Amino acid sequence: MTTAKPSFWNPGEIARPRGEAKLHAPSAQRNRDAILAVLREALPAQGLVLEIASGSGEHALHFAQALPSLTFQPSDPSPEARASIAAWIAESGLGNIRPPLDLDAGGAAWPALTPAAILCINMIHIAPWSAAEGLFAKAGAVLASGAPLYLYGPFRRPGRPLEPGNAAFDESLRGRDPEWGLRDLGAVTALAQASGFFAPEVVEMPANNLSLIFRKR
């Protein structure tokens, strides 16, 4: 059992230098290359990649830089996050990343899009369960057969106690909001299958995180 510091997104880590719109998330710097290595194998060669809950925008920017044949569509329900994403995009000058959308995973409707893949990094444990329900229901409605829905973060797994770092993180999340907390992998898989996805490919990631690759049936 490892006691390595988890690399999940922590709301307390987010920083913005004075006078800047750009947010800086240290966890994005720590995990972006490990996630990119998985995405290189999981994503299609071309098409539109919708990212749900893009946060600071640093992940979307990094992936767009590394995967120029794909077009990235970041989104976030937070005006502060969207301002940060737009600032990162403007600074980058990249042509394969779109302006951020105001999109709530658990909201009533998503904009009319036909993504070839959907990404959701470190969201479902820092949101009510209804956000996960909305994510899978809407992803299941817009993705074509075989298209991936990629999730990243810490999870509870059957028959395995939480690692000390993840247990502390789970406790801190529930202290912030009782509807937050690490999700059970079995419950997430059941939700995905009810929305038309196969059981996930599970990839072990650094610091007790997982990559989950769900594909539409």
Side-chain angles (χ1 to χ4, degrees), residues 116-196:
I118 295 176
L119 311 180
C120 186
I121 296 169
N122 281 332
M123 186 276 280
I124 67 169
H125 54 283
I126 311 179
W129 183 244
S130 59
E133 292 173 328
L135 171 67
F136 280 103
K138 294 177 178 67
V142 300
L143 289 176
S145 177
L149 168 59
Y150 172 86
L151 268 63
Y152 169 91
F155 292 86
R156 295 179 175 273
R157 289 190 271 182
R160 294 180 56 166
L162 280 177
E163 300 82 4
N166 278 348
F169 183 48
D170 182 60
E171 183 178 0
S172 72
L173 289 177
R174 295 180 189 279
R176 293 186 182 102
D177 189 318
E179 291 195 272
W180 294 6
L182 272 61
R183 305 304 180 186
D184 180 79
L185 180 57
V188 174
T189 298
L191 181 60
Q193 291 178 317
S195 298

Side-chain angles (χ1 to χ4, degrees), residues 29-64:
Q29 298 291 320
R30 291 195 297 266
N31 61 35
R32 64 185 188 176
D33 288 319
I35 293 173
L36 177 61
V38 177
L39 295 183
R40 287 187 186 279
E41 301 296 323
L43 294 181
Q46 54 189 328
L48 179 68
V49 179
L50 171 63
E51 185 183 24
I52 303 299
S54 298
S56 68
E58 293 165 284
H59 278 133
L61 187 76
H62 187 65
F63 304 152

Side-chain angles (χ1 to χ4, degrees), residues 1 14-16 53 86 110 140 177:
M1 180 180 296
I14 303 300
R16 181 200 289 117
W110 284 9
D177 189 318

